[in-house]
Amino acid sequence: MVQVAVMGYGVVGSGVVEVMSEHRDSINKRTKEEMGIKYILDIRDFPDSPFQDKFTKNFEDILNDDEVKVVAEVMGGVHPAYEFTKQCLEKGKSVVTSNKELVATKGAELLKIAKQNNANYLFEASVGGGIPIIRPLSQCLAANEVIEIAGILNGTTNFILTKMIREKMSFADALAMAQQLGYAERNPAADVEGHDAGRKISILASLAYGKHVYPEYVHTQGITEITLEDVAYAASWGGVIKLIGQVKRLEDQTLDITVEPMFVEKNSQLANVDDVFNGIMVRGDSTGDVVFYGKGAGKLPTASAVVADIMDCAKHLKRRKYLEWADGDGSIVKPYAETTYPVYIRVACEDKQAAFQKAQELFANVSALVRANAGGNELAFVTDEMTVARQEKAVQALEEAGYQVLSKIRISDL
Amino acid sequence: MVQVAVMGYGVVGSGVVEVMSEHRDSINKRTKEEMGIKYILDIRDFPDSPFQDKFTKNFEDILNDDEVKVVAEVMGGVHPAYEFTKQCLEKGKSVVTSNKELVATKGAELLKIAKQNNANYLFEASVGGGIPIIRPLSQCLAANEVIEIAGILNGTTNFILTKMIREKMSFADALAMAQQLGYAERNPAADVEGHDAGRKISILASLAYGKHVYPEYVHTQGITEITLEDVAYAASWGGVIKLIGQVKRLEDQTLDITVEPMFVEKNSQLANVDDVFNGIMVRGDSTGDVVFYGKGAGKLPTASAVVADIMDCAKHLKRRKYLEWADGDGSIVKPYAETTYPVYIRVACEDKQAAFQKAQELFANVSALVRANAGGNELAFVTDEMTVARQEKAVQALEEAGYQVLSKIRISDL
């Protein structure tokens, strides 16, 4: 009998209990162990729950019960999830989680503690919800050098952008709709400002490159400033705007790692990932591009990934799994100002021709974009590849020459 | 030191040796073992190979060398790969393979022998080349009931169909081009007649449903009879023709498992998998649809999947991995005549209106399709869902009424 404790009875936690109950027979058969949930930790009361006898408000119940071998931490947030996880691992209990914030900020340390105590710390559900990505990246693609990972890692922002692209809805209206449908939270900052995607690319990069890349080293920009004009120009350029989390190893062995909106060509595999779906492309030196696609969030997809990790721990009690990376200090990350890419810029102007000449002068080689009903008082153009530092210098010069810069969006090579 | 033997120095075998040599340091680091190739088995001579000292023509060298812990069987075909694999497993050596034919025909037996000898038999590379699918299906989606798997599992036929759809090339011309580019073999039967895809869906079904579904129980049909007229009608219906390997669990718990060309709606995730790429959709009861996409064949992608399995074996010496399924006798498979789907039919006729009325009479409810330049002497239509038995009865009646049936293609619900 392998006893499990579930910490947190929110959306994911209740899903974990549901999946484990409903698939009980097949789970026991596959793990070749009788699996049971002994505790559910939550500070709230759930008087109508059929799992009444399992609830506790006292973490010590779980920590001090030697029968509990596997703990699912699905509370979210860093505190007290971090302290609870650490204590469980120190007692030799394996911990699985969907908590991307905790993995992104404390992953290296918790993996080390797990190793020292011959326990496992697994987090398949922390990226891509029910889409398998952590395990394929660490196991199936183990014989590859990962050249690049790029993904649509946040379903909420992808839903909003899809509405803006397909239905010409404004950002504000699309966000309101996402909130109404339960895709976005009342305070949507973590999603729309890119932090959620930032944590996820930070986890993927740490795994792929073996050093912890903390979220504070990831240049992170959200979608709050994207306008329908930008969407229209992206279409005329031949693509769509997507919020892309991306990491690639540069020739000097540093990492270009960012979360930001990007122009993505229409025929790219990621351009067609719409609505709340996630898509993650892993470019290996041997496999070429492999793409994983599915629902990146939601109660049951995420819960099923957590339960798969629970099963894996139950099969590997007192045996170490593969996951591991060293601590990192950000020195592996290329400073954002030194990264290089072509950029789309939109400026307000009175004389389009004069503005174009000024842009040409400042950015060397630019191509103008057109959109329907643009009027004469704006200019949109695309530059050649250049460093962000140089872009910013030119943008400043444009503004000093009296042209207000309305938008500036990276052009991806995806 | 974990010594490895590679059996077969063809495309995949030479790729395995290449990947292991070129990624030597990172492989050793990740497996925490020194890995080395001790033997390469091939009946041919390779006088120019830098691995001269490793070649042997004698299988016994490998079998009787206790230092060899992991064997990569990349010979292809059932004999002598089967005998060699069996003997290695019986000696407690783990075996990894890309040999879909062997896994599809002998998988249950070899997995059992592996288990009895505390060794592993892994075959990530047998389906989808470098796309991770076996491990995600058995591990990451372990907490799901698999409702359906559907995939474009053969790159050669997908390339041919893509040329037919995009460039209006005939089947014969597209095949010739595939052969010229090295995508199709001189004898293309295994690809174009669907057997390769049949082996792959047989492996996926065995894994997902826990019982060996041998290829002879899989209704298998290739693409040799697809014409440009069918391609045009598929477009007018709103989709494309793809060779789909599919298995779904029906309400009565039997499996509808087939490989056949199908009409696939344009907005389906699989409709946009083009050229030599593979795409595999797994529908889980908790995750919903998860799609895996990438190059399904080729030297390095396939080799990298083999090497990942070698690494996994090296990390699990004398420890059992998860893969396992019971033997099966086909009783789990729904007889093809009893499967149910809507179908597209094209007939030769002199009087289109009369032909339509006859079709209406025989198939109950049909919708005619149109295509440019069709002329008056053919009719194409789509029926409602009905059993294959009923379809065939109606087809026979159509023919008896003097209408030659030119095409009959399944309409998918993908």
Side-chain angles (χ1 to χ4, degrees), chain A residues 314-354:
Chain A
K315 287 193 286 185
H316 288 84
L317 289 178
K318 294 290 152 204
R319 277 193 267 141
R320 286 279 304 151
K321 293 284 295 178
Y322 41 84
L323 286 172
E324 201 176 342
W325 61 66
D327 202 6
D329 58 6
S331 60
I332 197 182
V333 176
K334 188 86 164 179
Y336 186 63
E338 294 169 29
T339 57
T340 303
Y341 55 80
V343 68
Y344 149 89
I345 288 172
R346 184 167 63 98
V347 299
C349 62
E350 267 153 42
D351 178 344
K352 217 164 168 163
Q353 192 52 39

Coordinates of all heavy atoms in Angstrom, one line a residue, chain A residues 314-354:
Chain A
A314 N 5.5 6.2 -6.9 CA 5.2 4.9 -6.2 C 6.0 3.7 -6.8 O 6.3 2.8 -6.1 CB 3.7 4.7 -6.4
K315 N 6.3 3.8 -8.1 CA 7.1 2.7 -8.7 C 8.6 2.9 -8.4 O 9.3 1.9 -8.6 CB 6.8 2.7 -10.2 CG 5.4 2.2 -10.6 CD 5.3 1.9 -12.1 CE 5.2 3.2 -12.9 NZ 5.0 2.9 -14.3
H316 N 9.0 4.0 -8.0 CA 10.4 4.3 -7.7 C 10.7 4.7 -6.3 O 11.5 5.5 -6.0 CB 10.9 5.4 -8.7 CG 11.0 5.0 -10.1 ND1 9.9 5.0 -10.9 CD2 12.1 4.6 -10.8 CE1 10.3 4.6 -12.2 NE2 11.6 4.3 -12.1
L317 N 9.9 4.1 -5.4 CA 10.2 4.4 -4.0 C 11.6 4.1 -3.6 O 12.1 3.0 -3.9 CB 9.2 3.7 -3.0 CG 7.8 4.1 -3.1 CD1 6.9 3.2 -2.2 CD2 7.6 5.5 -2.7
K318 N 12.3 5.0 -3.0 CA 13.7 4.8 -2.6 C 14.6 4.6 -3.8 O 15.7 4.0 -3.7 CB 13.8 3.7 -1.6 CG 13.2 3.9 -0.3 CD 13.9 5.0 0.5 CE 13.0 5.7 1.5 NZ 13.6 7.0 1.8
R319 N 14.2 5.0 -5.0 CA 15.1 5.0 -6.1 C 15.0 6.3 -6.8 O 13.9 6.9 -7.0 CB 14.6 3.9 -7.1 CG 15.1 2.5 -6.7 CD 15.0 1.6 -7.8 NE 13.7 0.9 -7.7 CZ 12.9 0.5 -8.7 NH1 13.2 0.9 -9.9 NH2 11.8 -0.1 -8.5
R320 N 16.1 6.8 -7.2 CA 16.2 8.2 -7.8 C 15.7 8.2 -9.2 O 16.2 7.4 -10.0 CB 17.6 8.7 -7.7 CG 18.0 9.1 -6.3 CD 17.4 10.4 -5.9 NE 17.9 11.4 -6.9 CZ 17.3 12.5 -7.3 NH1 16.1 12.8 -6.8 NH2 17.8 13.3 -8.2
K321 N 15.0 9.2 -9.6 CA 14.7 9.4 -11.0 C 15.8 10.4 -11.6 O 16.7 10.7 -10.9 CB 13.3 10.1 -11.1 CG 12.2 9.1 -10.7 CD 11.9 8.1 -11.8 CE 11.3 8.7 -13.0 NZ 11.1 7.7 -14.1
Y322 N 15.5 10.8 -12.8 CA 16.6 11.4 -13.6 C 16.7 12.9 -13.4 O 17.7 13.5 -13.7 CB 16.1 11.1 -15.0 CG 14.7 11.3 -15.2 CD1 14.1 12.6 -15.4 CD2 13.8 10.2 -15.0 CE1 12.8 12.8 -15.4 CE2 12.4 10.4 -15.1 CZ 11.9 11.7 -15.3 OH 10.6 11.9 -15.3
L323 N 15.6 13.5 -12.9 CA 15.6 15.0 -12.9 C 16.7 15.6 -12.0 O 16.8 15.3 -10.9 CB 14.2 15.5 -12.4 CG 13.1 15.3 -13.4 CD1 11.8 15.7 -12.8 CD2 13.3 16.2 -14.6
E324 N 17.4 16.6 -12.5 CA 18.4 17.3 -11.8 C 18.9 18.4 -12.6 O 19.1 18.3 -13.8 CB 19.5 16.3 -11.5 CG 20.4 16.6 -10.4 CD 21.4 15.5 -10.1 OE1 21.2 14.4 -10.6 OE2 22.4 15.9 -9.4
W325 N 19.2 19.5 -11.9 CA 20.0 20.6 -12.5 C 20.8 21.3 -11.4 O 20.4 21.3 -10.3 CB 19.2 21.5 -13.4 CG 18.1 22.3 -12.7 CD1 18.3 23.2 -11.8 CD2 16.7 22.1 -13.0 NE1 17.0 23.7 -11.4 CE2 16.1 23.1 -12.2 CE3 15.9 21.4 -13.8 CZ2 14.7 23.2 -12.1 CZ3 14.5 21.5 -13.8 CH2 13.9 22.4 -13.0
A326 N 21.9 21.9 -11.8 CA 22.7 22.6 -10.9 C 22.1 24.0 -10.6 O 21.3 24.5 -11.3 CB 24.1 22.8 -11.4
D327 N 22.6 24.7 -9.5 CA 22.2 26.0 -9.3 C 22.8 26.9 -10.4 O 23.8 26.6 -11.0 CB 22.7 26.5 -7.9 CG 21.8 27.6 -7.4 OD1 20.8 28.0 -8.1 OD2 22.1 28.2 -6.3
G328 N 22.2 28.1 -10.5 CA 22.8 29.0 -11.6 C 22.7 30.4 -11.1 O 21.9 30.8 -10.2
D329 N 23.5 31.3 -11.7 CA 23.5 32.7 -11.2 C 23.2 33.7 -12.3 O 23.4 34.9 -12.1 CB 24.9 33.0 -10.6 CG 26.0 32.8 -11.6 OD1 25.7 32.5 -12.8 OD2 27.2 32.9 -11.3
G330 N 22.7 33.2 -13.4 CA 22.3 34.1 -14.5 C 23.5 34.5 -15.4 O 23.3 35.1 -16.4
S331 N 24.7 34.0 -15.1 CA 25.8 34.4 -16.0 C 25.7 33.7 -17.3 O 26.3 34.1 -18.3 CB 27.1 34.0 -15.3 OG 27.2 32.7 -15.0
I332 N 24.9 32.6 -17.4 CA 24.7 31.9 -18.6 C 23.8 32.7 -19.6 O 23.7 32.4 -20.7 CB 24.2 30.5 -18.3 CG1 24.3 29.5 -19.5 CG2 22.7 30.6 -17.9 CD1 23.8 28.2 -19.2
V333 N 23.0 33.7 -19.0 CA 22.0 34.4 -19.8 C 22.7 35.6 -20.5 O 23.3 36.4 -19.9 CB 20.8 34.8 -18.9 CG1 19.8 35.6 -19.8 CG2 20.2 33.6 -18.3
K334 N 22.4 35.7 -21.8 CA 22.9 36.8 -22.6 C 22.1 38.1 -22.1 O 20.8 38.0 -22.1 CB 22.5 36.6 -24.1 CG 23.0 37.6 -25.0 CD 24.4 37.2 -25.4 CE 24.9 37.9 -26.6 NZ 26.4 37.5 -26.9
P335 N 22.7 39.2 -21.8 CA 22.0 40.4 -21.4 C 21.0 40.7 -22.6 O 21.4 40.7 -23.7 CB 23.0 41.4 -21.3 CG 24.3 40.7 -20.9 CD 24.2 39.4 -21.7
Y336 N 19.8 41.1 -22.2 CA 18.8 41.3 -23.2 C 19.2 42.4 -24.2 O 19.0 42.2 -25.4 CB 17.5 41.7 -22.6 CG 16.3 41.9 -23.5 CD1 15.9 40.7 -24.2 CD2 15.7 43.1 -23.8 CE1 14.8 40.8 -25.1 CE2 14.6 43.2 -24.7 CZ 14.2 42.0 -25.4 OH 13.2 42.1 -26.3
A337 N 19.9 43.4 -23.8 CA 20.3 44.5 -24.7 C 21.2 43.9 -25.8 O 21.3 44.5 -26.9 CB 21.0 45.6 -23.9
E338 N 21.9 42.8 -25.5 CA 22.8 42.3 -26.5 C 22.2 41.2 -27.4 O 22.8 40.7 -28.4 CB 24.0 41.6 -25.8 CG 24.9 42.7 -25.1 CD 25.9 42.0 -24.2 OE1 26.4 40.9 -24.5 OE2 26.3 42.6 -23.2
T339 N 20.9 40.8 -27.2 CA 20.3 39.9 -28.1 C 20.0 40.6 -29.4 O 19.8 41.8 -29.4 CB 19.0 39.3 -27.5 OG1 18.1 40.4 -27.1 CG2 19.3 38.5 -26.2
T340 N 19.8 39.8 -30.4 CA 19.7 40.3 -31.7 C 18.5 39.7 -32.4 O 18.2 38.5 -32.4 CB 21.0 39.8 -32.5 OG1 22.1 40.2 -31.8 CG2 21.0 40.3 -33.9
Y341 N 17.7 40.6 -33.0 CA 16.6 40.1 -33.8 C 16.0 41.3 -34.7 O 16.3 42.5 -34.4 CB 15.4 39.6 -33.0 CG 14.9 40.4 -31.8 CD1 14.0 41.5 -32.1 CD2 15.4 40.2 -30.5 CE1 13.6 42.3 -31.0 CE2 14.9 41.1 -29.5 CZ 14.0 42.1 -29.8 OH 13.5 42.9 -28.7
P342 N 15.3 41.0 -35.7 CA 14.6 42.1 -36.5 C 13.4 42.5 -35.7 O 12.9 41.7 -34.9 CB 14.1 41.4 -37.8 CG 14.5 40.0 -37.7 CD 15.0 39.7 -36.3
V343 N 13.0 43.7 -35.8 CA 11.9 44.2 -35.0 C 10.8 45.0 -35.9 O 11.2 45.5 -36.9 CB 12.4 45.1 -33.9 CG1 13.0 46.4 -34.4 CG2 11.4 45.4 -32.8
Y344 N 9.6 44.9 -35.4 CA 8.5 45.7 -36.0 C 8.3 46.9 -35.2 O 8.2 46.8 -33.9 CB 7.3 44.8 -36.0 CG 5.9 45.5 -35.9 CD1 5.3 46.0 -37.0 CD2 5.3 45.7 -34.7 CE1 4.0 46.7 -36.9 CE2 4.1 46.4 -34.5 CZ 3.5 46.9 -35.7 OH 2.3 47.5 -35.6
I345 N 8.2 48.0 -35.8 CA 8.0 49.3 -35.1 C 6.8 50.1 -35.8 O 6.7 50.1 -37.0 CB 9.3 50.1 -35.1 CG1 10.3 49.4 -34.1 CG2 9.0 51.6 -34.7 CD1 11.7 50.0 -34.1
R346 N 6.0 50.7 -34.9 CA 4.9 51.5 -35.4 C 5.1 52.9 -34.8 O 5.2 53.0 -33.5 CB 3.6 50.9 -35.1 CG 2.4 51.6 -35.6 CD 1.1 50.7 -35.5 NE 0.8 50.4 -34.1 CZ -0.1 51.1 -33.4 NH1 -0.8 52.1 -34.0 NH2 -0.4 50.8 -32.1
V347 N 5.0 53.9 -35.6 CA 5.2 55.3 -35.1 C 4.0 56.2 -35.5 O 3.5 56.0 -36.6 CB 6.5 56.0 -35.5 CG1 7.7 55.2 -34.9 CG2 6.6 56.1 -37.0
A348 N 3.7 57.2 -34.7 CA 2.8 58.2 -35.2 C 3.6 59.2 -36.0 O 4.7 59.6 -35.7 CB 2.2 58.9 -33.9
C349 N 3.0 59.7 -37.0 CA 3.7 60.7 -37.9 C 2.7 61.6 -38.6 O 1.5 61.2 -38.7 CB 4.6 60.0 -38.9 SG 3.7 59.0 -40.0
E350 N 3.1 62.7 -39.1 CA 2.2 63.6 -39.9 C 2.6 63.3 -41.3 O 1.7 63.3 -42.2 CB 2.4 65.0 -39.5 CG 1.3 65.4 -38.5 CD 1.7 66.5 -37.6 OE1 2.2 67.5 -38.1 OE2 1.5 66.4 -36.3
D351 N 3.9 63.2 -41.6 CA 4.3 63.0 -43.0 C 5.0 61.6 -43.1 O 6.1 61.4 -42.7 CB 5.3 64.1 -43.4 CG 5.9 63.9 -44.8 OD1 5.7 62.8 -45.4 OD2 6.4 64.9 -45.3
K352 N 4.2 60.7 -43.7 CA 4.6 59.3 -43.7 C 6.0 59.1 -44.4 O 6.8 58.3 -44.0 CB 3.5 58.5 -44.5 CG 3.3 57.1 -44.0 CD 2.0 56.5 -44.5 CE 1.9 55.1 -44.2 NZ 0.6 54.5 -44.3
Q353 N 6.1 59.9 -45.5 CA 7.3 59.7 -46.3 C 8.6 60.2 -45.6 O 9.6 59.5 -45.5 CB 7.2 60.6 -47.6 CG 8.2 60.3 -48.7 CD 8.4 58.8 -49.0 OE1 7.4 58.1 -49.1 NE2 9.6 58.4 -49.2
A354 N 8.4 61.3 -44.8 CA 9.5 61.8 -44.0 C 9.8 60.8 -42.9 O 11.0 60.6 -42.6 CB 9.1 63.2 -43.5

